[in-house]
Amino acid sequence: MKILCTICARKGSRGVPNKNIKNLAGKPLIVHTIEQAISAPLIDSVIVSTDSKKIVAIAREAGAEAPFIRPKELATDTASKIPVIQHALRYCIEQMDITPDLVIDLDPTAPLRSQDDIKACLDCIINNKEIDAVITGFRSNKNPYFNMVEVQDDGFVKLSKDSGRFTSRQTAPVVYAMNASIYIWRTQKLLESKHLFDNNIKIKLVEMSAERSMDIDSEIDFKFVEFLLKKS
């Protein structure tokens, strides 16, 4: 079984300028994820998709392949992730003669994932042919059945999922927050997808701890992740 890893990193970032190459605990942020991917025994190829020549140079120095500059229309802050990964996959198939069975995407802004997390996700889809895709998430401390509300058109609020009155979060159905850390697809399903939750895709969630689920989106996030890395 061939497994391709994509790592998608734009040069632009509103929350943290140049965050993908900002120094985090002694190395550029993206390098943490590249090293995780290269060290994962089941991953065969690691491709970085970026619109930055500087990120290309850093990625290559870290041991990943960065064979193209991402098209401008896929490098905006409103571009969906699925088309970006599909573009990288098609490039590998058409230009590099790499046709993987599975595509795993590791987001560089979530560097606290472990090798055990990566292996658990891969084992999940490898060992069950009915699964089309895998995502990761953590148990949310906010629950739409209990303490999450929506503002209606008239300005008043209602419970997001009012399917019964739960008196505590512990009695409400368990919900998970996606952490944008690890995604896996079977190749054909990825090529056919328009968005992550297409109706014909069977997705499993692999739980990660809340601590390892930190996603860097602000300067405070960056400092907290650095604290956790230095602590470990």
Side-chain angles (χ1 to χ4, degrees):
M1 175 169 285
K2 293 183 180 180
I3 300 175
L4 169 70
C5 176
T6 58
I7 300 173
C8 304
R10 292 189 307 113
K11 62 184 175 184
S13 173
R14 293 186 181 184
V16 183
N18 299 311
K19 69 178 174 183
N20 284 309
I21 58 175
K22 185 173 180 178
N23 189 289
L24 175 71
K27 64 187 76 171
L29 173 61
I30 191 174
V31 172
H32 290 271
T33 294
I34 291 172
E35 290 178 347
Q36 291 168 352
I38 291 173
S39 298
L42 294 174
I43 292 175
D44 299 293
S45 304
V46 181
I47 299 290
V48 171
S49 169
T50 183
D51 58 332
S52 164
K53 290 182 179 179
K54 191 167 186 178
I55 293 177
V56 165
I58 291 171
R60 288 174 177 171
E61 185 177 353
E65 295 185 78
F68 58 83
I69 293 292
R70 192 193 304 176
K72 290 182 179 180
E73 64 271 19
L74 295 178
T76 66
D77 58 5
T78 58
S80 173
K81 191 165 191 174
I82 297 292
V84 173
I85 301 171
Q86 289 171 332
H87 170 266
L89 172 58
R90 290 192 180 101
Y91 186 96
C92 289
I93 293 172
E94 296 167 7
Q95 304 297 327
M96 301 177 69
D97 196 27
I98 297 174
T99 304
D101 299 287
L102 300 174
V103 178
I104 178 171
D105 182 79
L106 303 180
D107 197 305
T109 64
L112 296 178
R113 73 179 71 78
S114 68
Q115 287 294 333
D116 286 341
D117 294 324
I118 295 172
K119 185 177 185 299
C121 291
L122 287 169
D123 285 347
C124 179
I125 194 168
I126 289 171
N127 294 330
N128 189 336
K129 292 183 178 180
E130 292 186 3
I131 298 173
D132 299 319
V134 171
I135 62 173
T136 49
F138 61 98
R139 289 199 180 202
S140 175
N141 63 352
K142 300 295 182 184
N143 195 308
Y145 292 94
F146 175 64
N147 58 4
M148 295 183 72
V149 298
E150 299 173 14
V151 179
Q152 303 176 89
D153 292 339
D154 59 9
F156 293 99
V157 297
K158 66 173 183 178
L159 199 63
S160 292
K161 294 181 74 70
D162 193 6
S163 60
R165 295 294 176 182
F166 297 98
T167 58
S168 70
R169 181 169 57 86
Q170 288 73 22
T171 59
V174 175
V175 296
Y176 294 86
M178 294 173 61
N179 62 8
S181 182
I182 304 171
Y183 300 88
I184 306 177
W185 295 266
R186 296 195 186 278
T187 293
Q188 193 56 43
K189 285 294 183 180
L190 175 57
L191 290 172
E192 294 171 355
S193 298
K194 292 184 179 179
H195 50 78
L196 179 60
F197 291 101
D198 273 349
N199 291 333
N200 63 334
I201 294 184
K202 296 179 180 178
I203 303 174
K204 283 279 190 176
L205 181 141
V206 172
E207 184 176 351
M208 289 172 55
S209 70
E211 184 178 89
R212 295 198 310 281
S213 294
M214 281 292 300
D215 181 46
I216 297 174
D217 196 41
S218 67
E219 290 286 355
I220 292 176
D221 295 337
F222 201 97
K223 290 177 181 179
F224 187 50
V225 167
E226 187 163 47
F227 168 77
L228 292 174
L229 278 172
K230 289 179 178 178
K231 177 184 171 185
S232 62

